[in-house]
Amino acid sequence: MLEVDNLWISYDRIAALRGVSFTVQKGEIVTLIGANGAGKTTILRALSGLVPAARGRVTFEGEDLLSLPAHVRVRRGMALVPEGRGIFGNLTVLENLRLAAYTRRRQDLERDLAAVFGIFPRLEERRHQWGNTLSGGEQQMLAVGRALMTKARLLLLDEPSMGLAPVLVQEIFRVLRRLNEAGTTILLVEQNARLALEVAHRAYVLETGQITLSGPCDELRHHPKVREAYLGGA
Amino acid sequence: MFPIIAQNILNALQLGSVYALIALGYTMVYGILTMINFAHGDIFMVGCYLSLAAALFLLGLPLHLPAGLIFLGALLFSMLLTAILGVAIERLAYRPLRQAPRVSAVITALGVGLFLENFTLAILGPEPRHFPPLIAMTPWQVGGLSLTLLQLLILIVTALILVLLDLLVRRTLMGMAMRAISDNRPIVPLMGVSVDRVISFTFALGSAIAAAGGLLYGLAYPVLDPYMGIRIGWWAFISAVVGGIGNIRGAMLGGFILGAVEILTPMVLPSSTYRDFVAFSLLLLLLVFKPTGLLGRPLFERV
């Protein structure tokens, strides 16, 4: 579904990604794990078009992505749930969701809203509240809800567990699993490697802008290097 | 005494309407680009001349169109063409500088303003043009107050535009996109929204509203010259800042306050030449004590 081939990104001539290659197959949950500053967020930002790529090739369902502007990539069926959630504080919950359906047909709006509210009943209760009055967990639900409103077939998630209480993290990940079972492909960036390796099928380990390890999560979980560096040596 | 005050309030509302309409353009562009479009006063001037051209053309037709139809024709014509002008200015002059330092955009805006002034001057020459009296100026006497059809028209058209704009920003998808950009621009493309498209729309909207202000101004104060946009532009800009730049309702409020300052100054001070002094003093005082303007916080505040 998604093929990334030899992707290079630089910020102010300092290379943040140095030739990263990986794939995501339809129906998978793939996770990128790595320390702070390894380049995980940079990959997602490049895939969604928020930062330009210096070199490399990215194809999504056979189409070259790097030549498309960010808002067109969303229309192709790929949505990013950004780090820090990016909720519009001066829009209500409902407006945030409606804006995410910007490119879609109006007739589908009610049905899609009902689907999102079915997954996150909390959002329906708060639909007329301003975005900046939501709690962190509600904001994360709204961020995922917005991505669903775009009808993305591939969801890119950047640190969905960040800053959330464990019970909320569990809820978000339960939803992700359910979405995946319903057919949505997911590329997950997570600082919480234990959680990520639990929910994903395959993983790539990123270190200073390069992929150093990859494989099925069941295998990586037992890999000595992963255990030492990301699972607290347990 | 009462009728004099009431009469002046009426006059202040008339002038304030024009300031409010122009202030909206400053505030909307600031709201989404955090940039002051210093060419906006001159865009208003061009809108005023385009209204004049359309009105003269329609009057010259051997059809004897009713004044209302001519007014409407001039309004639509100048709003449309001025909107195109605004979009073109953004495309050609501002967009290439979007990543450049803020000061480059400000200087460019000043340059665009000079261009518009001198372009108009080159085509039409320096002598002032006169707006034909389309709408009856004969006053009705209402309870000691004299009210003209034109004043009524200005107030109604302005109120209509203000209400429609408020609805657009609060209720439509485009309005939501504008507010979203003012809150967190980098995230907006992730919603599938083209930021460039929304910015173009904002320039079109702000310029069209300035053109409507141009027609109303031309009817009320019927002497046009290529430099008319400078002073009115400054007053509208102060209106936007007084109300809280980036805040749409603030621009409306600020416009009426500045209208009142201009009309009431000669009542209190010996001459109307003090009006700029009063207006800029008000601006300075406000910036000291309430830097974000009367309606507070910057950007398209939730309404």
Side-chain angles (χ1 to χ4, degrees):
Chain A
M1 187 179 217
L2 181 76
E3 278 143 42
V4 178
D5 185 25
N6 193 28
L7 185 64
W8 288 71
I9 310 265
S10 323
Y11 294 116
D12 293 330
R13 299 214 195 104
I14 298 163
L17 285 191
R18 300 180 293 160
V20 168
S21 303
F22 65 95
T23 59
V24 179
Q25 306 296 325
K26 196 169 181 347
E28 273 189 314
I29 301 181
V30 172
T31 183
L32 302 171
I33 57 179
N36 251 337
K40 307 185 301 284
T41 294
T42 301
I43 290 181
L44 294 192
R45 289 169 61 83
L47 292 179
S48 51
L50 298 184
V51 295
R55 243 199 292 163
R57 205 177 145 70
V58 177
T59 53
F60 177 63
E61 296 181 327
E63 185 183 12
D64 176 38
L65 268 193
L66 292 182
S67 58
L68 300 175
H71 67 273
V72 177
R73 297 187 199 187
V74 177
R75 298 174 196 188
R76 293 290 189 273
M78 195 180 75
L80 169 66
V81 178
E83 189 178 17
R85 293 135 202 162
I87 298 305
F88 300 115
N90 59 349
L91 268 63
T92 64
V93 169
L94 196 59
E95 288 173 337
N96 267 282
L97 293 170
R98 278 187 62 193
L99 188 64
Y102 185 81
T103 56
R104 312 217 30 258
R105 288 183 320 180
R106 204 152 284 201
Q107 302 92 284
D108 303 336
L109 185 70
E110 289 306 318
R111 199 194 57 213
D112 294 351
L113 277 174
V116 169
F117 289 151
I119 297 170
F120 298 114
R122 275 293 270 287
L123 293 182
E124 183 162 28
E125 290 165 27
R126 319 230 150 194
R127 64 185 182 279
H128 295 303
Q129 247 172 265
W130 298 111
N132 57 7
T133 64
L134 299 181
S135 70
E138 289 161 351
Q139 288 195 7
Q140 190 64 61
M141 293 174 195
L142 181 52
V144 174
R146 279 193 321 199
L148 297 179
M149 292 300 287
T150 68
K151 277 286 175 250
R153 295 182 300 283
L154 173 62
L155 279 187
L156 313 176
L157 291 122
D158 198 351
E159 305 274 4
S161 76
M162 192 167 58
L164 296 190
V167 55
L168 283 169
V169 174
Q170 289 300 327
E171 184 176 349
I172 294 282
F173 275 79
R174 209 164 34 235
V175 167
L176 294 184
R177 207 173 264 150
R178 224 167 71 203
L179 288 172
N180 177 249
E181 280 158 12
T184 307
T185 310
I186 292 174
L187 176 58
L188 172 69
V189 156
E190 221 357 294
Q191 188 108 233
N192 185 339
R194 187 183 304 274
L195 195 62
L197 290 173
E198 226 168 82
V199 72
H201 304 116
R202 288 193 302 120
Y204 293 87
V205 177
L206 202 63
E207 279 173 48
T208 58
Q210 286 177 309
I211 286 173
T212 52
L213 267 179
S214 66
C217 291
D218 295 333
E219 276 174 33
L220 283 187
R221 247 199 305 261
H222 303 294
H223 194 286
K225 218 175 127 191
V226 173
R227 289 172 62 126
E228 191 191 340
Y230 305 108
L231 299 176
Chain B
M1 190 62 194
F2 169 74
I4 297 176
I5 291 177
Q7 186 68 52
N8 277 300
I9 288 176
L10 190 65
N11 294 344
L13 281 175
Q14 173 185 330
L15 187 60
S17 293
V18 177
Y19 289 148
L21 291 178
I22 305 166
L24 287 170
Y26 282 104
T27 226
M28 284 195 290
V29 166
Y30 185 85
I32 64 165
L33 284 180
T34 54
M35 168 203 156
I36 308 290
N37 178 15
F38 278 115
H40 191 62
D42 298 296
I43 292 175
F44 153 81
M45 176 273 293
V46 172
C48 201
Y49 272 100
L50 287 171
S51 314
L52 173 66
L56 289 178
F57 173 76
L58 292 173
L59 278 172
L61 292 179
L63 294 173
H64 300 290
L65 295 169
L69 217 56
I70 293 178
F71 174 82
L72 220 64
L75 184 68
L76 294 180
F77 175 83
S78 70
M79 283 179 87
L80 183 70
L81 256 67
T82 311
I84 293 172
L85 173 71
V87 171
I89 289 172
E90 192 274 324
R91 248 320 131 76
L92 299 174
Y94 302 157
R95 190 172 299 180
L97 293 172
R98 210 171 290 158
Q99 311 301 332
R102 195 74 52 87
V103 68
S104 312
V106 171
I107 292 169
T108 304
L110 290 169
V112 170
L114 284 173
F115 170 80
L116 293 176
E117 288 159 23
N118 289 292
F119 187 77
T120 310
L121 187 71
I123 295 184
L124 297 174
E127 58 281 349
R129 305 277 165 146
H130 294 272
F131 218 97
L134 280 181
I135 312 294
M137 298 278 261
T138 40
W140 303 316
Q141 298 300 329
V142 186
L145 233 91
S146 80
L147 176 75
T148 65
L149 178 61
L150 178 63
Q151 277 177 320
L152 205 61
L153 184 75
I154 289 177
L155 295 181
I156 290 172
V157 170
T158 302
L160 200 67
I161 290 175
L162 298 187
V163 169
L164 286 178
L165 181 69
D166 206 62
L167 283 177
L168 184 145
V169 170
R170 286 191 309 150
R171 296 285 167 80
T172 67
L173 217 45
M174 186 53 91
M176 289 174 205
M178 290 165 73
R179 276 147 60 205
I181 289 178
S182 82
D183 187 57
N184 196 346
R185 167 138 56 114
I187 300 296
V188 173
L190 299 178
M191 308 292 114
V193 178
S194 163
V195 171
D196 283 341
R197 181 95 58 90
V198 179
I199 290 174
S200 289
F201 177 83
T202 306
F203 271 85
L205 189 64
S207 305
I209 293 174
L215 172 61
L216 298 177
Y217 184 86
L219 288 170
Y221 312 94
V223 184
L224 280 59
D225 74 80
Y227 297 114
M228 64 188 286
I230 300 174
R231 194 191 72 82
I232 297 166
W234 273 113
W235 277 67
F237 171 65
I238 299 173
S239 305
V241 176
V242 165
I245 193 151
N247 186 315
I248 285 188
R249 289 184 176 176
M252 302 176 185
L253 176 69
F256 289 112
I257 291 175
L258 267 285
V261 167
E262 178 156 349
I263 297 295
L264 300 182
T265 299
M267 287 183 76
V268 182
L269 292 175
S271 150
S272 71
T273 51
Y274 287 96
R275 63 188 183 182
D276 288 306
F277 164 74
V278 175
F280 281 94
S281 305
L282 179 73
L283 176 69
L284 289 178
L285 278 178
L286 200 86
L287 287 180
V288 170
F289 291 107
K290 205 159 185 323
T292 53
L294 288 178
L295 291 197
R297 313 214 276 121
L299 308 190
F300 283 72
E301 200 42 30
R302 22 191 257 232
V303 276

